[in-house]
Amino acid sequence: MSWRNTAAKILSFFRREKMDRALDEEIRAHLDLEEAEQQAAGLPSEEARHAARRAFGNVTLAREDTLDTWLFRLLEDFFEDIRYGLRTLAKNPGFAAVAIFTLALGIGANTAIFSVIDALFLRPLSYGDPQRLVVVWENNRPRSRVRNTVGPANFLVWQEKNTVFEQMGILYDHPSSITGEGEPEQVPAQAISPNLMSLLGVSPIRGRSFSEDDGQPGRENVVLISYGVWQRRFAGDPRIVGRSIRVDDVSKTVVGVMPRGFEFFLKNGSLSGEKAQLWNPIVISPAWRTPQGRFLTSVARLKPGVSLAQAQAEMNAIAASLERKWPDFDTGWGVNLVPLTEELTGDLRKPLGILFAAVGLVLLIACANVANLLLARAATRHKEMAVRTALGAGRNRIFRQLLAESLVLSIAGGAAGFFLSIWGIRALISISPRNIVDLSGVGPDFRILAFTMIVSILTGLLFGVAPALSAFRVNLNSALKEGGRASSLSGSGAGLRTALVVAEIAFAFILLVGGGLLARSFLRLTSVNPGFDPHNLLTVKLTLPSTRNDAG
């Protein structure tokens, strides 16, 4: 079949009523023409009409054969099955409501968790070529998995000697206050190397990023502000670029506004635990050449074709040379390269994987429940199936019909589950600790809707196969008898229903045991003795601008 014929058949499906009328008119024209010819041959009107019908043949069969040529018969049958399934469920609203609600809980829970997984792990990061971005930590070799902040002197040597990175940048968090217009406001800020934004592949939506000159002494009084600060503090002033604002009692010039939603927050190494809303350039002083302290976070972009293992090997060699150069400062210290995607989400992969597996089991339990309901309902429909079989319906046709009814249920459950997932996502956002993960950007979209539809269809196939197969075991002789319905209800599918109940109990037991273990672990963590009495204790952080607390 050519693509043109295929396209014509698909288009004809949506013009079915028009085609039915055209086909009826064409058949009528053939019959009228044949009748006229018979009358011309000398037959009376009534006999001519019967002769025309005999000559034409079975009108219904001819009509069906023509439609088979014009249409996709399977597609036509499928939509007929869907319509029949809707009518059948409408006659049993209680059963339909229970089944749809059961499926909605399972599908909704899976959709909500998948929304979080999609936002954190599956969507690409909003940086240029993010798979080449790595975070460079220092670490004490006996504890090689520990990620420690970086000493400035070590970073400068890394930057000079490495051959595996296109660029290396640094940053550290600090609090800042904006004053001078309206109420004073403290905002989290980051001091960054002037090349950090270009390293990340991000550009301001207004103005420019920092230049190398901005990192020189005396030229550092420039800032980048977040989109939120621009809108909230300065009412989206279109002339914000070049405007002077007071930051920490110092006049600084706004050179750019970052895009809406831009953030670069690394929990490890953060001093504030908050996402920056303002950025200022780091000025590298000569004192940084002397090893002292570790407080920087370093980010690098791998050169094309350089693997993480190659970069790690070279940085290990540089770390060894630094250990020989500055033994008092670098003895026992090495370098740990972590891909940025892992750095941002690594701590969440395991708990979210466990949670996704748990809601997957909930969906399987829901499928087993609905399959049991359908099996019990199918047992009461054996007489109906027997009549349809006796009238000539084949096994495949009955199988497709029952499977279509299951798909109607699953799609309705998926639609209800999608709306339940919106509430579930909001609940997850409200309880998520912001210093670990921010889910404010998580929400339903076309990707989530597609996931829900796929899960709904697979769910319908999963719980619909068993009832459809049970219809093949109909005994026509006994089912068509007066008492056939009662006997079929008591004996049909009992073993399969028992197996589904056992599966439900097994899955529920797994969830119960897993939940109990997690609860016990949580209770043990909360009962750890901190070494002091934490009741009625508060912590307070007070930050004074450096211009007001200088000694002298």
Side-chain angles (χ1 to χ4, degrees):
M1 181 185 296
S2 68
W3 67 270
R4 291 183 179 179
N5 291 335
T6 302
K9 285 191 172 188
I10 293 174
L11 290 174
S12 65
F13 176 78
F14 297 100
R15 298 179 297 178
R16 175 63 188 272
E17 292 184 4
K18 184 177 180 180
M19 292 184 64
D20 283 340
R21 290 195 299 269
L23 182 57
D24 289 340
E25 292 174 1
E26 185 174 348
I27 292 174
R28 192 178 303 111
H30 277 289
L31 290 173
D32 290 344
L33 180 61
E34 182 66 27
E35 184 179 346
E37 290 178 355
Q38 295 292 341
Q39 287 180 354
L43 290 178
S45 176
E46 189 67 26
E47 292 184 15
R49 184 178 301 110
H50 289 303
R53 288 186 173 273
R54 286 195 300 271
F56 187 84
N58 190 317
V59 175
T60 303
L61 183 60
R63 193 176 188 281
E64 293 297 320
D65 289 342
T66 304
L67 287 176
D68 284 344
T69 304
W70 289 359
L71 300 170
F72 281 118
R73 174 53 60 184
L74 287 177
L75 187 63
E76 181 73 10
D77 290 344
F78 173 75
F79 279 95
E80 287 181 1
D81 291 341
I82 293 294
R83 288 192 290 268
Y84 181 78
L86 288 171
R87 291 195 300 270
T88 302
L89 293 177
K91 294 177 182 178
N92 299 274
F95 166 81
V98 171
I100 290 172
F101 179 72
T102 302
L103 292 173
L105 290 177
I107 295 175
N110 277 269
T111 302
I113 299 301
F114 178 79
S115 300
V116 177
I117 292 175
D118 176 64
L120 295 180
F121 305 123
L122 303 183
R123 295 184 185 179
L125 298 176
S126 57
Y127 311 120
D129 208 3
Q131 67 273 12
R132 290 168 51 204
L133 292 174
V134 295
V135 185
V136 187
W137 300 104
E138 290 199 69
N139 65 304
N140 193 288
R141 286 196 186 110
R143 298 172 294 157
S144 59
R145 298 184 65 182
V146 174
R147 299 168 187 176
N148 200 86
T149 46
V150 176
N154 286 350
F155 169 77
L156 293 175
V157 175
W158 296 348
Q159 195 175 37
E160 293 168 359
K161 290 189 175 182
N162 90 84
T163 61
V164 292
F165 300 129
E166 278 187 355
Q167 295 186 69
M168 295 190 75
I170 49 174
L171 65 140
Y172 64 87
D173 296 343
H174 66 93
S176 284
S177 57
I178 301 177
T179 56
E181 297 181 23
E183 292 295 325
E185 180 182 1
Q186 183 167 334
V187 297
Q190 279 180 347
I192 63 175
S193 56
N195 69 326
L196 183 66
M197 295 304 179
S198 63
L199 185 155
L200 295 175
V202 180
S203 300
I205 58 171
R206 285 182 176 269
R208 63 172 178 85
S209 188
F210 295 139
S211 66
E212 290 299 325
D213 289 341
D214 294 326
Q216 301 301 317
R219 300 183 180 179
E220 72 276 12
N221 286 335
V222 291
V223 292
L224 293 168
I225 61 174
S226 69
Y227 184 90
V229 168
W230 179 44
Q231 295 294 319
R232 182 183 70 251
R233 183 82 189 183
F234 303 105
D237 182 5
R239 296 172 296 178
I240 188 66
V241 176
R243 180 174 168 178
S244 293
I245 62 174
R246 295 199 68 80
V247 178
D248 297 333
D249 279 344
V250 176
S251 179
K252 297 193 177 185
T253 302
V254 178
V255 296
V257 179
M258 298 307 294
R260 182 200 296 265
F262 169 77
E263 59 186 45
F264 188 70
F265 175 71
L266 302 177
K267 180 170 66 74
N268 292 315
S270 174
L271 301 178
S272 64
E274 297 182 82
K275 296 176 180 179
Q277 301 179 42
L278 182 146
W279 296 266
N280 61 279
I282 287 177
V283 177
I284 298 178
S285 68
W288 280 26
R289 296 284 178 181
T290 302
Q292 51 182 342
R294 291 178 166 89
F295 62 92
L296 298 174
T297 298
S298 176
V299 184
R301 178 176 290 277
L302 294 168
K303 289 182 177 179
V306 176
S307 67
L308 185 67
Q310 291 172 324
Q312 182 68 67
E314 179 171 297
M315 295 303 292
N316 288 341
I318 296 175
S321 68
L322 286 174
E323 188 172 6
R324 294 189 295 270
K325 182 179 181 180
W326 294 317
D328 292 340
F329 185 73
D330 281 324
T331 296
W333 287 87
V335 179
N336 185 16
L337 302 184
V338 181
L340 181 61
T341 52
E342 180 182 334
E343 183 65 42
L344 293 174
T345 60
D347 294 341
L348 299 172
R349 289 181 181 272
K350 185 176 291 186
L352 280 177
I354 294 173
L355 192 56
F356 197 42
V359 295
L361 285 177
V362 171
L363 182 58
L364 288 177
I365 293 173
C367 287
N369 266 314
V370 175
N372 248 329
L373 290 172
L374 287 175
L375 280 172
R377 183 167 171 266
T380 66
R381 299 176 65 188
H382 274 180
K383 196 165 188 177
E384 173 195 341
M385 297 299 121
V387 170
R388 296 181 64 180
T389 302
L391 291 176
R395 286 190 170 189
N396 290 340
R397 189 69 186 84
I398 294 176
F399 182 83
R400 292 203 310 268
Q401 171 63 60
L402 294 176
L403 207 56
E405 292 182 21
S406 300
L407 287 175
V408 169
L409 272 178
S410 65
I411 292 173
F418 181 77
F419 289 105
L420 276 179
S421 71
I422 297 175
W423 175 84
I425 292 170
R426 290 174 181 172
L428 289 172
I429 292 173
S430 65
I431 64 174
S432 64
R434 295 188 61 187
N435 62 330
I436 296 178
V437 59
D438 183 8
L439 301 181
S440 58
V442 178
D445 56 17
F446 286 110
R447 292 161 59 94
I448 306 305
L449 180 60
F451 171 82
T452 305
M453 291 302 298
I454 292 172
V455 170
S456 300
I457 292 172
L458 292 178
T459 300
L461 296 175
L462 182 62
F463 71 73
V465 168
L469 291 176
S470 70
F472 295 163
R473 294 192 291 269
V474 177
N475 188 316
L476 295 181
N477 192 28
S478 61
L480 292 174
K481 291 179 181 178
E482 185 69 24
R485 180 176 178 180
S487 61
S488 65
L489 178 63
S490 60
S492 176
L496 185 55
R497 293 200 297 273
T498 301
L500 287 173
V501 171
V502 171
E504 288 180 55
I505 295 173
F507 291 148
F509 184 74
I510 292 172
L511 283 176
L512 182 63
V513 171
L517 291 174
L518 289 175
R520 188 179 69 172
S521 299
F522 177 75
L523 290 175
R524 285 186 174 182
L525 286 174
T526 56
S527 62
V528 172
N529 185 4
F532 60 91
D533 184 5
H535 295 91
N536 299 323
L537 292 181
L538 299 175
T539 60
V540 179
K541 183 194 298 185
L542 181 63
T543 303
L544 298 176
S546 58
T547 54
R548 293 193 174 182
N549 64 355
D550 290 339

